[in-house]
Amino acid sequence: MHLEGTVELQANISQSGGISEVKQLSGSPILGRAAVDAVRQWKYKPYYLNGQPVEIQTQVTVNFKLP
């Protein structure tokens, strides 16, 4: 489709380090779907608070650029 742009997402990282929820904040709806699909596959190391894994929320920026 030859689209470029930036997509802002809000993602929840679960206690196990997987992505439990992703929400698009801004950007093209077409690119947003691709960004959400990609971010849902990401894995993080769990975040710990007082020795216990906790769920956290983070903001992700995905830039789409043509070669």
Side-chain angles (χ1 to χ4, degrees):
M1 295 180 121
H2 300 329
L3 295 174
E4 286 187 333
T6 300
V7 177
E8 294 283 335
L9 303 173
Q10 179 177 311
N12 291 344
I13 301 171
S14 71
Q15 293 177 351
S16 65
I19 302 295
S20 60
E21 184 180 339
V22 182
K23 179 174 136 183
Q24 183 176 348
L25 301 176
S26 67
S28 162
I30 294 170
L31 295 177
R33 283 192 294 270
V36 166
D37 289 344
V39 169
R40 283 193 175 141
Q41 297 177 40
W42 293 2
K43 298 290 182 199
Y44 287 84
K45 288 184 180 178
Y47 286 81
Y48 287 87
L49 180 63
N50 298 324
Q52 298 294 320
V54 294
E55 184 171 316
I56 66 160
Q57 197 173 74
T58 188
Q59 196 164 345
V60 177
T61 302
V62 180
N63 293 309
F64 290 88
K65 292 192 177 198
L66 294 171

